[in-house]
């Protein structure tokens, strides 16, 4: 099984604060990692470093085969990132937004509809401006926008927040499906149950370092 | 690259279409500015005629700055700037696409402003070709400079006040060249209209080159 | 430059102390030459002595801005590969720009005083004066951007791009006297043209330029080191933070 | 037991959409209501109507004794609202922000520190600009800002999202404490467990109307 | 009410203190506008002297609009406008507090602009008292109008472009009165300086009254 993320003693600094303080971790292809840790432990920071949004200032990091010290832009086209925020153009209609994201990653326009159906967004909402959606509906649009790009590495920051039971079920299915078709999934969440239901591995951070690791599946 | 740029531009124009900001707010505002100047100059007809070219470009740049600001606010709200940076689309395409989107919106604005100037300031267009060329050159120069600096301020908490500060010095030559070229086209003053117009194209070209080469750097953090 | 001899809290080294001494002597000599040795002008009288500060200052400012642009370009090239690469060039760009702004300010100030004497007003809306002021403000904006709180590399990249764009202003200032009709003096020293001033004035001007160059280099070296020291201080603070994170055992958020 | 919220066939419209479509509900003083319902069911809208931010267009609503058709501004001073967003001034420091909110509701400056300690925010973070906080840390600041105003009616929209285990524990304590000292609490959440642990009553919405109600405690 | 208003103003000034936007960005920008206008007018010294009063107020209003925009952006980001509306502080206090905060920031701006005009446009202050009174009156009028309309645009997605559109017509009289009063104070033109100044105070008073009475309505939605 090939390694998708490989961190060795990674230190990363944002705003003068060491958000990662010597993190060692390896994630293999096809894993579904549940990232845990108390508030401020560095979960979000870890994902942003993986996505190349925060540079590493010490240690070695390799993501999808790219050395993140040399080139942290190239892996991005293969990574999907869902942050605490939804990254949505609030002025656009739901469908337009997902179609734009689809086109931006070279997918076809038809994929957009499929993705929206996949996250269970009723088509009454497809031509509604995103601004008018409820929190959970927006989260679904964000997930659809990510889905449509078929990334190889999925980074999701509390994707379950704001989703209802049905949404959670669909999301879990989507994650499992992605992993089984060869993608790698890392998601952060404070809910314990998720460790059992979807994740193949639980990783706990503390103070910008690894604290506990249930080990690869 | 062109395909991707067009994609971005189309998305921006669609956002514009949904919010109708250019025609609904910025164009009326620019017209208002023309009116206010007329007021401020105490409706001195000769003075207004003389100043027509300059005031036209002041109105364009002012309105255009609002459009640039908005073009990047759309990109940065809801944490969207991360998405912009994560975009699979290359930085040069982003730069071109954004510039194109802004260009079309400013053209829209000018389509309202030209008749405004003619009517309010009582000038006559004597050289259509020059006027058109100058308008296109100035708008191009404005769009690429604006997008370049817009990206520089984007994502910063103080962007709304920083952007104009950075933009004004860079745009001053465009303002000057545009005014002189228009003065010639409107027959207000005999100047080297075509020289000024080419100057604007040169500015546009230089900034396009810089933008294509460096836009990627502007998006990175850390 | 990374390793500073002597104590790490000082910006001076033996070499720069010598440079400082030379700068001091050079300036004294320049004052002597400018105020005593060189003759008064036929038209402008004593006021012409302003020339020896006014003109070298802006030339040095041009030079500093060239340095800023070159370092910025090198910084961008280096930083493309390794994330910490080329910080050196960023510091150099910053210190050169600061010195450039100061000398542009000196030109503006001496020019305004000179204008008061010869034109009767401090300020004229003349192309060269206006473009000079735009140049001044552009680089002030550059320095403002440098001061924003942001990650050093983010800031470095953005300001480097800004430096490249800003440099466009320099030739505009220089050629403004040719492009527009101005009150201001035409360029008397220009590539491919014979100098219009001669004799002692010419030599004094050249010498002043040399003296001001020495002063500017001294300033740049020290500004560079101050910036470096600030970075070292930040790095030390960071090490402390990392250390404290490593023993972060209290589970407080 | 006095009634704090009393809705009778309430219809409320936002953006041309009937976000509440004839809602009947009564909430008594001291209750802790867990509001449930699928995405778009109208939970957020319900809270915003309670807070007087959305006007009612049909039916009758009474909140804290104020008739919401007549006067939907007066009850606000007694209501604390925590939305999906945190309502924080990102330029301010943590402590400054909470002190401002305290002063705005007439509390003392000292209360701010107490509230921050109550939500478990370490004092290292008190003089950090809010912009730099992690998602959970921000949520804590938002809760502290609300706490400090001692509202009579607490409206919390997914307050648990982004909080870690410790934070959740603290929040639950705070809610129980508030209710027992006479305040009324309504919180929305998609997590089932919370119904058992804190809530005294579970209310489920669907399509802007009441679907299920476990009844008053 | 006053206590609450001061609370709001203090908070706003603290935000300003943290970001240093007024002195760092807006004031240099306003100075730049003075320079650019001089350029646009082709450096006609006599014209600049004549226009000094007007251009001063154009720069103030332009910079001030950015400050208003920012004052409300701070209030509306992160869903904060709801908090503003939920605030236990009464609407009149909010209005007064915001106006006060803006007033101080604009005063700061003007402290930089006055010397700028004097130096750049080569004018002399002939009547200090009138100048001061006019500056205070105009600034007051601007602050209350700005906050009133700022609230109207706040929270809307298109606020950045809508606000100037709403503000310009309302502020035109202030611009006019301010220019005339300054013209008198600078001895450029003999005008009824004090009459114009009182007009500004009247405008300020009227808008304060309207603001105190209606601010609550502006904050409501639906
Ligand atoms: C604020 C007012 C002034 C400013 C901003 C200013 C700016 C400049 C600049 C930028 C240059 C360098 C040109 C170049 O080589 O690229 C220059 C050169 C010069 N200035 Fe000024 N100047 C001012 C006032 C004056 C006055 C009042 C005089 C004398 C009447 C004067 C005389 C000169 C002379 C003789 C040169 C040398 C020209 C040459 O050899 O190239 N300047 N000034
Ligand atoms: N730009 C920044 N400047 C300074 N400190 C920062 C910055 N970004 C994050 N931090 C700090 O780094 C630590 C880790 O933040 P991070 O967002 O990674 O935590 P997290 O594990 O995602 O927490 P949460 O569960 O609350 O989302 C926090 O203490 C935060 O305050
Ligand atoms: N301004 C608006 N314009 C039009 N429709 C709106 C508006 N606000 C909300 N809606 C619609 O009203 C419905 C209810 O929204 P609400 O935010 O109350 O749901 P919710 O129960 O909070 O959902 P979630 O669990 O996703 O947060 C949604 O279908 C939403 O699209
Ligand atoms: Mg996080
Ligand atoms: Mg909701």
């Amino acid at each position: 099984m090939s390694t998708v993320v490989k961190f060795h003693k990674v230190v990363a600094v944002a705003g003068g604060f060491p958000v990662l303080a010597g993190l060692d971790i390896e994630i293999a292809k096809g894993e579904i990692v549940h990232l845990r840790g108390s508030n401020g432990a560095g979960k979000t920071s870890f994902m942003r470093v993986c996505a190349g949004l925060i540079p590493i200032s010490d240690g070695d990091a390799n993501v999808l085969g790219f050395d993140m010290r040399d080139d942290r832009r190239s892996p991005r086209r293969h990574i999907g990132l869902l942050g605490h925020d939804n990254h949505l153009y609030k002025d656009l209609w739901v469908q337009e937004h997902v179609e734009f994201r689809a086109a931006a990653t070279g997918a076809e326009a038809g994929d957009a509809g499929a993705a929206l159906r996949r996250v269970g967004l009723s088509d009454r909402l497809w031509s509604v401006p995103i601004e008018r959606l409820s929190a959970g509906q927006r989260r679904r649009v964000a997930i659809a926008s990510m889905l449509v790009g078929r990334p190889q590495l999925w980074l999701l920051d509390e994707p379950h927040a704001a989703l209802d039971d049905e949404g959670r079920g669909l999301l879990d299915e989507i994650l499992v499906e992605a992993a089984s078709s060869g993608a790698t999934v890392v998601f952060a969440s404070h809910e314990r149950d998720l460790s059992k239901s979807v994740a193949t591995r639980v990783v706990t951070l503390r103070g910008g370092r690894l604290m506990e690791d249930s080990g690869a599946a | 690259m062109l395909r991707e740029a067009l994609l971005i531009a189309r998305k921006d124009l669609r956002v514009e279409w949904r919010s109708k900001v250019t025609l609904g707010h910025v164009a009326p505002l620019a017209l208002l500015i023309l009116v206010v100047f007329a007021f401020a100059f105490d409706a001195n007809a000769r003075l207004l005629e003389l100043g027509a070219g300059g005031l036209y470009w002041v109105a364009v740049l002012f309105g255009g700055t609002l459009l640039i600001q908005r073009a990047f606010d759309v990109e940065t709200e809801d944490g969207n700037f991360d998405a912009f940076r994560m975009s699979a689309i290359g930085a040069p395409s982003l730069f071109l696409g954004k510039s194109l989107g802004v260009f079309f919106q400013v053209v829209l604005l000018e389509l309202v402003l030209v008749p405004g100037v003619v009517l309010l300031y009582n000038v006559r267009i004597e050289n259509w070709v020059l006027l058109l060329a100058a308008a296109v050159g100035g708008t191009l120069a404005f769009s690429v400079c604006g997008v370049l600096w817009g990206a520089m301020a984007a994502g910063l908490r103080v962007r709304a006040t920083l952007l104009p500060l950075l933009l004004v010095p860079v745009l001053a030559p465009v303002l000057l060249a545009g005014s002189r070229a228009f003065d010639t086209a409107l027959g207000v003053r005999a100047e080297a209209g075509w020289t000024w117009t080419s100057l604007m194209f040169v500015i546009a070209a230089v900034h396009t080159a810089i933008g294509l080469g460096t836009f990627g750097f502007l998006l990175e953090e850390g | 430059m990374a390793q500073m001899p002597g104590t790490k809290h000082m910006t001076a080294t033996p070499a720069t102390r010598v440079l400082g001494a030379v700068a001091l002597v050079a300036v004294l000599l320049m004052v002597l030459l400018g105020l005593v040795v060189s003759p008064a002008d036929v038209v402008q009288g004593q006021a012409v002595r302003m020339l020896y500060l006014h003109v070298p200052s802006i030339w040095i400012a041009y030079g500093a801005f060239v340095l800023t642009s070159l370092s910025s370009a090198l910084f961008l090239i280096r930083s493309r590969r390794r994330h910490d690469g080329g910080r050196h060039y960023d510091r150099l760009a910053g210190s050169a720009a600061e010195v450039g702004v100061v000398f542009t300010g000196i030109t503006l100030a001496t020019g305004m005083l000179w204008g008061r004497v010869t034109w009767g007003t401090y300020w004229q809306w003349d192309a060269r004066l206006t473009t000079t002021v735009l140049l001044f403000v552009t680089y002030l904006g550059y320095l403002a951007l440098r001061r924003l709180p942001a990650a050093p590399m983010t800031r470095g990249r953005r300001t480097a791009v800004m430096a490249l764009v800003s440099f466009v202003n320099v030739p505009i200032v220089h050629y403004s006297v040719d492009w527009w009709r101005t009150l201001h003096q035409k360029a008397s020293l220009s590539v491919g043209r014979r100098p219009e001033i001669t004799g002692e004035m010419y030599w004094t001007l050249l010498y002043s330029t040399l003296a001001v160059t020495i002063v500017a280099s001294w300033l740049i070296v020290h500004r560079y080191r101050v910036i470096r020291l600030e970075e070292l201080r930040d790095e030390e603070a960071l090490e402390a933070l990392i250390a404290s994170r490593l023993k972060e055992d209290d589970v407080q958020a």
Side-chain angles (χ1 to χ4, degrees), chain A, chain B, chain C:
Chain A
M1 217 195 279
S2 65
T3 309
V4 173
V5 175
K6 185 168 180 167
F7 274 33
H8 178 66
K9 289 205 197 310
V10 168
V11 176
V13 178
F17 187 82
V19 290
L20 293 188
L23 178 67
D24 284 297
I25 194 172
E26 267 190 49
I27 298 174
K29 194 173 161 193
E31 283 193 285
I32 302 183
V33 179
H34 179 182
L35 207 60
R36 297 185 44 108
S38 50
N39 292 142
K43 301 178 293 299
T44 301
S45 307
F46 169 66
M47 296 198 193
R48 292 174 65 81
V49 172
C50 282
L53 293 176
I54 301 179
I56 67 172
S57 51
D58 207 7
D60 283 306
N62 190 303
V63 175
L64 290 165
F66 295 94
D67 182 344
M68 298 302 272
R69 303 200 66 134
D70 281 353
D71 178 9
R72 56 202 174 87
R73 257 150 71 193
S74 303
R76 286 188 194 160
R77 67 186 65 244
H78 310 294
I79 298 181
L81 175 71
L82 178 70
H84 286 294
D85 293 327
N86 286 319
H87 310 317
L88 299 175
Y89 293 109
K90 292 192 186 166
D91 294 287
L92 292 183
W93 290 357
V94 168
Q95 187 174 11
E96 289 171 346
H97 181 89
V98 183
E99 275 172 5
F100 169 68
R101 289 269 190 256
T105 50
E108 282 153 42
D111 294 354
L116 282 173
R117 264 188 293 275
R118 191 81 187 80
V119 297
L121 213 68
S122 91
D123 43 9
R124 174 180 79 76
L125 296 173
W126 289 18
S127 49
V128 167
I130 289 176
E131 191 199 357
R132 302 204 167 164
L133 297 184
S134 81
Q137 291 163 346
R138 285 186 201 185
R139 204 71 180 154
R140 287 172 194 238
V141 178
I143 295 171
S145 305
M146 179 169 178
L147 186 59
V148 92
R150 299 181 200 287
Q152 290 174 29
L153 174 60
W154 297 48
L155 303 169
L156 308 115
D157 214 344
E158 306 201 38
H160 296 83
L163 290 183
D164 59 17
D165 292 343
E166 181 220 11
R168 281 153 189 253
L170 285 172
L171 174 62
D172 290 351
E173 272 175 34
I174 292 173
L175 296 186
V176 170
E177 209 176 278
S180 66
S181 70
T184 310
V185 176
V186 178
F187 72 91
S189 174
H190 293 292
E191 296 174 41
R192 278 180 189 284
D193 323 348
L194 297 169
S195 307
K196 287 170 231 146
S197 52
V198 247
T200 60
R201 178 178 170 193
V202 182
V203 168
T204 310
L205 302 185
R206 168 183 284 177
R209 273 166 314 133
L210 192 76
M211 191 177 83
E212 236 181 273
D213 188 349
S214 76
Chain B
M1 191 164 99
L2 204 64
R3 194 194 67 84
E4 295 181 332
L6 285 177
L7 192 67
I8 299 275
R10 220 177 47 220
K11 187 261 298 167
D12 276 3
L13 291 177
R14 178 160 283 157
V15 168
E16 158 61 20
W17 173 247
R18 294 270 172 251
S19 59
K20 304 222 175 38
V21 156
T22 306
L23 283 180
H25 300 159
V26 179
L29 177 64
L31 282 177
L32 251 169
I33 291 178
L34 293 184
V35 175
V36 168
F37 272 120
F39 249 123
F41 288 163
D42 236 356
N44 181 329
R46 179 77 195 121
L47 206 66
L48 284 177
E49 215 184 305
L50 275 178
L55 294 178
Y56 172 86
W57 283 102
V58 166
V60 170
L61 297 193
F62 181 81
T65 305
L66 289 179
L67 290 174
I68 294 273
Q69 193 91 60
R70 187 172 152 76
F72 280 92
D73 277 355
V74 163
E75 242 23 277
T76 51
E77 71 166 349
D78 195 22
N80 232 331
F81 201 54
D82 282 342
F84 197 60
R85 298 199 280 152
M86 290 296 292
S87 172
I89 295 177
S93 314
L94 285 178
F95 171 70
L96 279 189
K98 273 275 160 206
S99 305
L100 217 64
V102 170
F103 178 79
F104 280 119
Q105 291 179 43
V106 178
V107 164
L108 220 61
L109 173 65
E110 296 187 68
L111 286 182
V112 176
L113 269 183
V114 169
V117 168
V118 170
L119 284 178
L120 286 173
Y121 295 170
N122 198 27
V123 287
R124 257 182 347 118
I125 301 173
E126 312 229 317
N127 188 340
W128 274 96
V129 185
L130 177 59
L131 188 92
L132 204 71
V136 170
T139 311
L140 267 181
F142 172 79
S143 309
V144 289
C145 290
V147 169
L148 198 57
W149 297 93
M152 207 161 306
L156 297 176
R157 293 189 54 68
V158 292
R159 60 181 173 279
T161 47
L162 181 64
L163 176 65
L165 177 61
L166 296 181
L167 260 184
V168 170
V170 201
L171 290 181
V174 179
L175 177 65
L176 184 73
S179 312
R180 294 295 164 273
F182 261 51
D183 282 350
T184 320
L186 297 174
V188 175
R189 221 178 323 199
E191 288 257 2
W194 283 105
T195 317
W196 288 114
T197 304
S198 3
L199 176 62
M200 292 192 284
F201 278 100
V202 170
I203 295 179
V206 169
H207 280 86
T208 307
I210 299 181
L212 288 177
T214 62
F215 205 66
F217 295 116
L218 294 182
L219 302 182
E220 285 317 310
E221 200 163 82
Chain C
M1 202 64 77
Q3 201 51 51
M4 268 171 283
T7 151
K8 87 191 203 192
H9 299 298
M10 300 221 332
T11 57
T13 61
T16 53
R17 286 211 185 88
V18 172
L19 187 62
V22 172
L24 207 63
V25 174
V27 168
L28 286 178
L29 223 84
M30 172 178 145
V31 171
L32 196 69
L33 274 175
L35 293 187
V36 184
V37 178
S38 80
D41 191 68
V42 206
V43 192
Q44 301 213 357
Q46 301 296 341
V48 77
R49 303 188 191 285
M50 206 78 88
L51 178 76
Y52 308 125
L53 191 52
H54 180 75
V55 179
S57 292
I58 195 71
W59 285 347
I60 293 317
Y62 291 168
F65 295 145
V66 170
L67 189 58
T68 302
S69 309
L70 285 181
S71 328
S72 297
L74 286 172
F75 171 77
L76 285 179
I77 293 166
R78 290 294 162 89
S79 78
R80 195 199 284 281
R81 296 218 67 82
R82 283 193 99 73
H83 130 264
D84 244 358
R87 284 287 282 282
H88 161 70
Y89 294 110
D90 181 46
R91 291 192 281 271
L92 194 56
S95 19
E98 282 176 10
V99 172
V101 165
V102 168
F103 280 98
T104 311
I106 293 179
T107 299
L108 272 170
T110 51
M112 284 172 89
L113 290 177
W114 202 351
R116 181 76 193 157
V117 178
T118 59
W119 301 332
T121 61
Y122 287 109
W123 193 257
Q124 285 284 340
W125 289 102
D126 164 283
R128 165 155 285 168
L129 273 56
T130 311
T131 49
T132 310
V133 113
L134 281 180
L135 180 77
F136 185 64
V137 174
T138 307
Y139 278 93
L140 271 184
Y142 169 84
L143 292 182
L145 196 61
R146 283 192 76 87
R147 288 223 166 76
L148 281 185
M153 291 302 281
T154 315
R155 190 175 47 220
R157 265 188 290 263
R158 289 186 182 201
T159 51
V161 173
M162 181 166 177
L164 290 182
V165 186
S166 304
F167 188 74
V168 176
N169 264 323
V170 170
I172 293 182
V173 173
H174 182 70
Y175 290 111
S176 56
V177 278
D178 298 334
W179 294 346
W180 291 277
R181 59 199 151 71
T182 56
L183 270 176
H184 192 277
Q185 212 83 19
K186 290 264 186 261
S188 54
L189 286 186
S190 204
V191 190
R193 220 192 287 163
R194 260 189 316 127
E196 281 168 19
I197 56 173
T198 43
E200 281 109 334
M201 278 174 71
Y202 178 74
W203 290 111
T204 310
L205 182 59
L206 275 196
Y207 176 75
S208 310
T209 309
L210 180 71
V212 175
T213 310
I214 296 173
V215 173
S217 327
W218 184 81
L219 280 174
I220 290 177
V221 168
H222 281 266
R223 273 308 297 159
Y224 178 98
R225 290 183 176 169
V226 169
I227 294 174
R228 176 73 191 131
L229 279 183
E230 280 167 4
E231 283 179 12
L232 281 178
R233 184 199 58 201
D234 291 349
E235 279 164 24
E236 270 172 26
L238 184 64
E239 308 250 294
L241 269 176
I242 293 180
S244 83
R245 278 220 100 175
L246 289 182
K247 38 182 168 24
E248 196 168 289
D249 281 332
D250 56 326
V251 201
Q252 270 193 320

